[in-house]
Amino acid sequence: MRRIVVPSLFFMALLGIWGIAAGSGRWSPVLFPSPWSVAEYLWGALLDGTLVEAIFVTMKRLLAGYAIGLLIGLPLGLLTSSSQMLEDTIGALALGLQTLPSVCWVPLALLWFGQTEGAMLFVVVMGTVWSVIIATDHGARTIPPIYARAARTMGSQGLHLWTRVMLPASLPFLVSGMKQGWAFAWRSLMAAEIYVTILTGFGLGQLLHYGRELQAMDQVIGAMAMIVIIGSLADRILFSPWERFLHRRWGTNVE
Amino acid sequence: MNMAEAQWQGVMPEHASGASSKLIVESVSKWFRTPRATVHALDSISMQVAAGEVVCLVGPSGCGKSTLLDIIAGLTKPDSGHVLADGHLVTGPGRQRLVVFQEPSLFPWLDVFGNVMFGLKLCPELTNDGRREIAHRFLGLVGLEKFERVHVHELSGGMKQRVALARALAADPQVLLMDEPFGALDAMTREHLYDDVQRIWRDAGKTIVFVTHNMREAVCLGDRVLLMSQAPGKIIQAFDIPLPRPRSIYDVELVGYAARIADALRGTVGGGVPE
């Protein structure tokens, strides 16, 4: 109960301070709208369908890029963890490119693909895949070797060893890798949507971008709020419970 | 096999038990190379274990006794020498030689029953009903029949080792290799397990190699205790333990044997205190 009441009070206080500051008249409401006008904008956007449409378009792009990122990243991460040579080559490449902020892929993507969905997808995949490789590689290396040793003495080997022992043993770390990948895919997509303006879909990032073009600060802040809310909901609903469950059950108390 | 035995007669005549030798370790040596140094872990170890015999390996920590067990299991390759199991050269791990490790080696993604079933599922000659029946039976044998559906992280250390023992026994290996299986447990839990283990072994009649650094544990469980020296490890003395079973670690005679082995060990480490 306490863990619900205290945060609620905290965020209500934050909104209150924002409201008082906006209402004080020191700043132009065009540049510093009140929480109510942002809420009003979001309500209107919800009713006329732009918000739902934007969320839908964004999610579609996110899932496609994320799925491709996982499909490439998870196997590569497992491979780099099992071979020194791959670690020194692909692993080093992943480590290097992971330091590149995903927005830096945008110019390249625009020149290669133009203002297309392909450019968007490319940025998301590039933003996701390296961090997934690194997280998976790290996870697979932390699997206690005792599991494989015990399984081998019981006659497990080859495919059986990989699917019945190594895969379940690395599950907590795969989920961490997937969570990491999700966070990076989300950031990359927002960068891509702000810079790639196309007619095939109008996502949350574009909502934010056009808010700036129209100098509609309530739209800018409203879009930012939605991005925060969706990002943290995904973390809380999709990943955290799983991660907690796996780490508790597996006895790998990372948290 | 005959040649190996013939060779053996001369080395350790009192234990060359002829045709019933289950395990033969023949001049096995092992070095570990690290970037800084090369450690000579095992120095031409030879021993043999008769079918149904319980042999305990004791020695100071770092004497390579766990390495020797790994080599017998086939998890580590010796640099020279070889191991014969039933007269066949050991080239890799196999389910005829199951290991019970000191560290918790149960799979946390399976429950207790699933862990015991893991080894059984790798026995193609069994039916599924047969596997389940065996798993129930062995969990009963270690007193955990009520915990079949419990997850590994909910078990105490002693219970985990009981499950590991049941998992190993259920797959019906010919040889059981135990690497300080009770080393991480408290004294009271350990003493309970000595009673259980002696009862189970009497019924199962397995060939067992048991590594420990606890003298009384070795004397309590072993038909024979082999004392190893500090690195490079070699077997320096063998003790027959002709005490009747079941044995209690508080038995005066047993303590006497343990003290004699501890004295012998002290002699080898130059006045140091054995663990």
Side-chain angles (χ1 to χ4, degrees):
Chain A
M1 199 57 197
R2 201 188 161 79
R3 296 210 40 210
I4 300 170
V5 173
V6 174
S8 317
L9 285 176
F10 172 74
F11 286 107
M12 268 151 65
L14 220 55
L15 280 176
I17 292 169
W18 176 10
I20 290 165
S24 69
R26 282 182 60 119
W27 298 282
S28 150
V30 175
L31 291 178
F32 194 51
S34 69
W36 333 122
S37 62
V38 171
E40 216 175 309
Y41 160 74
L42 283 174
W43 182 244
L46 191 69
L47 289 185
D48 71 15
T50 39
L51 194 59
V52 178
E53 169 74 14
I55 291 173
F56 179 73
V57 165
T58 295
M59 281 303 166
K60 209 171 62 184
R61 287 173 181 154
L62 184 70
L63 288 178
Y66 179 57
I68 294 172
L70 285 186
L71 236 52
I72 301 173
L74 290 179
L76 276 182
L78 288 176
L79 282 176
T80 55
S81 74
S82 58
S83 146
Q84 191 60 51
M85 199 187 75
L86 290 176
E87 172 71 11
D88 291 342
T89 51
I90 296 174
L93 180 75
L95 212 56
L97 289 181
Q98 195 224 6
T99 62
L100 190 67
S102 42
V103 70
C104 299
W105 285 103
V106 174
L108 189 147
L110 281 174
L111 289 174
W112 276 5
F113 300 97
Q115 302 274 4
T116 62
E117 289 286 341
M120 205 102 70
L121 193 67
F122 180 78
V123 173
V124 176
V125 171
M126 284 298 127
T128 312
V129 78
W130 313 114
S131 63
V132 174
I133 291 179
I134 288 164
T136 312
D137 172 272
H138 176 75
R141 278 172 196 279
T142 355
I143 300 172
I146 187 81
Y147 294 148
R149 280 157 56 85
R152 285 172 63 211
T153 68
M154 286 187 271
S156 171
Q157 52 181 329
L159 191 65
H160 186 276
L161 187 66
W162 275 98
T163 55
R164 300 298 165 84
V165 182
M166 298 313 273
L167 192 67
S170 56
L171 216 52
F173 307 106
L174 290 185
V175 170
S176 301
M178 286 170 71
K179 179 180 167 176
Q180 179 94 335
W182 178 269
F184 275 86
W186 184 237
R187 284 161 178 70
S188 315
L189 180 60
M190 288 309 117
E193 284 195 337
I194 286 175
Y195 287 100
V196 184
T197 23
I198 45 177
L199 298 172
T200 49
F202 197 79
L204 280 173
Q206 280 131 355
L207 210 59
L208 186 60
H209 179 70
Y210 282 105
R212 185 195 69 121
E213 302 261 291
L214 301 169
Q215 299 214 9
M217 202 55 166
D218 50 356
Q219 182 174 335
V220 168
I221 294 177
M224 283 170 70
M226 280 319 295
I227 292 168
V228 169
I229 288 167
I230 291 174
S232 48
L233 276 184
D235 188 70
R236 285 189 177 217
I237 294 170
L238 290 180
F239 296 106
S240 291
W242 265 100
E243 218 179 8
R244 266 204 303 278
F245 166 77
L246 288 171
H247 281 303
R248 200 170 50 94
R249 166 80 78 77
W250 266 234
T252 47
N253 282 313
V254 172
E255 287 171 283
Chain B
M1 182 151 176
N2 278 328
M3 265 186 63
E5 276 161 19
Q7 207 176 333
W8 262 92
Q9 301 283 334
V11 183
M12 218 185 260
E14 65 270 37
H15 297 302
S17 36
S20 59
S21 276
K22 195 80 195 167
L23 280 177
I24 298 175
V25 176
E26 217 160 40
S27 36
V28 160
S29 295
K30 181 79 190 169
W31 287 267
F32 286 110
R33 287 166 195 87
T34 61
R36 293 249 175 94
T38 300
V39 180
H40 193 179
L42 294 175
D43 183 21
S44 104
I45 299 253
S46 293
M47 60 182 263
Q48 54 181 326
V49 184
E53 190 186 19
V54 181
V55 168
C56 291
L57 287 169
V58 294
S61 60
C63 73
K65 49 195 192 294
S66 294
T67 307
L68 179 58
L69 206 71
D70 273 4
I71 290 173
I72 297 174
L75 289 167
T76 304
K77 291 219 175 339
D79 289 320
S80 71
H82 58 260
V83 176
L84 298 174
D86 278 325
H88 297 289
L89 192 64
V90 171
T91 53
R95 65 185 177 90
Q96 286 314 325
R97 282 162 286 113
L98 281 189
V99 187
V100 180
F101 299 93
Q102 175 179 2
E103 319 142 67
S105 63
L106 299 179
F107 303 134
W109 54 92
L110 300 172
D111 60 12
V112 166
F113 191 73
N115 266 283
V116 178
M117 285 294 279
F118 184 93
L120 289 168
K121 283 183 185 154
L122 288 158
C123 303
E125 68 278 9
L126 297 172
T127 63
N128 266 329
D129 286 340
R131 292 185 179 117
R132 270 192 289 276
E133 191 270 316
I134 292 170
H136 289 307
R137 181 148 48 85
F138 279 94
L139 281 169
L141 203 61
V142 296
L144 288 174
E145 60 273 71
K146 289 202 180 70
F147 294 86
E148 286 184 350
R149 290 300 161 195
V150 166
H151 287 290
V152 170
H153 73 277
E154 296 165 306
L155 297 175
S156 69
M159 288 159 103
K160 281 181 190 159
Q161 286 309 62
R162 281 169 199 266
V163 177
L165 191 62
R167 179 172 76 174
L169 285 169
D172 197 26
Q174 310 223 332
V175 177
L176 203 55
L177 304 170
M178 307 189 71
D179 188 3
E180 300 191 42
F182 311 139
L185 305 179
D186 63 276
M188 220 192 285
T189 309
R190 241 180 2 230
E191 285 164 29
H192 261 294
L193 280 167
Y194 295 155
D195 296 340
D196 289 348
V197 155
Q198 291 189 73
R199 172 175 54 84
I200 294 166
W201 288 357
R202 187 195 60 210
D203 300 340
K206 301 284 178 209
T207 306
I208 294 160
V209 181
F210 192 106
V211 163
T212 176
H213 56 241
N214 182 325
M215 301 301 165
R216 289 212 274 177
E217 182 170 285
V219 175
C220 177
L221 300 176
D223 295 321
R224 201 145 53 90
V225 176
L226 301 180
L227 178 62
M228 287 178 70
S229 67
Q230 243 169 357
K234 52 173 97 171
I235 294 171
I236 45 175
Q237 215 170 333
F239 300 83
D240 280 307
I241 314 294
L243 297 175
R245 290 177 189 276
R247 300 169 185 166
S248 152
I249 58 160
Y250 296 110
D251 181 72
V252 178
E253 258 187 292
L254 185 147
V255 174
Y257 272 105
R260 239 167 291 158
I261 300 173
D263 280 341
L265 175 62
R266 218 167 280 136
T268 72
V269 294
V273 182
E275 279 186 299

